Amino acid sequence: MTEADILASTYEDEVTVYRPFKKKLESGESIFQSGEKGLKIYEGIPCAFSGHSGGKLLQSPSTASAEAEYSLFTRPEAEVKANDFLLILHRGLEYRMIAGNPSRMLSHNEIPLREEKDHV
């Protein structure tokens, strides 16, 4: 059993990965497809989703926010790329995240995440 197998045996969550792409319409126009409209790369792969850090306070003279930090751990074979859209099932809840630049190791990948926010 490899180190990757041992770590993967602890993964209790699942992730579906969508990759953004440009789609050419019949009219010749190109549109950008992202989020769940992106190209599905993986579905239901085992992973470990870390809870948020509680957030770092970002403050300016007029506003303040606390951005939470998350991480995802996958087997090293999972080719998650920066800007991929991830639907993560963790303890019965679904999280919508955007992947940052993964840190790839022989035993696993560690992927920083930011929460996908609906834009109004």
Side-chain angles (χ1 to χ4, degrees):
M1 185 177 264
T2 67
E3 189 177 350
D5 295 332
I6 294 167
L7 286 173
S9 72
T10 68
Y11 297 167
E12 297 178 352
D13 305 315
E14 289 185 357
V15 62
T16 299
V17 179
Y18 297 87
R19 187 152 298 145
F21 72 102
K22 282 186 184 178
K23 178 179 179 180
K24 193 167 190 169
L25 302 176
E26 289 180 18
S27 65
E29 177 184 5
S30 291
I31 59 172
F32 188 70
Q33 299 282 31
S34 62
E36 291 177 82
K37 293 180 182 178
L39 182 64
K40 189 184 286 186
I41 304 298
Y42 299 108
E43 184 171 7
I45 62 170
C47 64
F49 179 63
S50 77
H52 63 80
S53 66
K56 294 180 183 176
L57 181 61
L58 305 173
Q59 190 167 359
S60 70
S62 60
T63 62
S65 66
E67 293 292 325
E69 294 178 357
Y70 300 86
S71 292
L72 187 74
F73 300 89
T74 65
R75 291 189 61 93
E77 301 85 27
E79 291 284 335
V80 177
K81 296 182 178 181
N83 296 316
D84 281 352
F85 175 77
L86 311 176
L87 285 178
I88 301 166
L89 187 59
H90 173 70
R91 297 183 181 165
L93 298 174
E94 189 175 83
Y95 293 83
R96 302 166 62 81
M97 300 284 174
I98 302 295
N101 251 342
S103 177
R104 300 185 192 283
M105 290 154 249
L106 293 176
S107 58
H108 67 284
N109 294 329
E110 182 176 351
I111 305 156
L113 305 172
R114 70 175 164 79
E115 199 166 2
E116 172 70 9
K117 307 256 188 203
D118 290 329
H119 300 287
V120 180

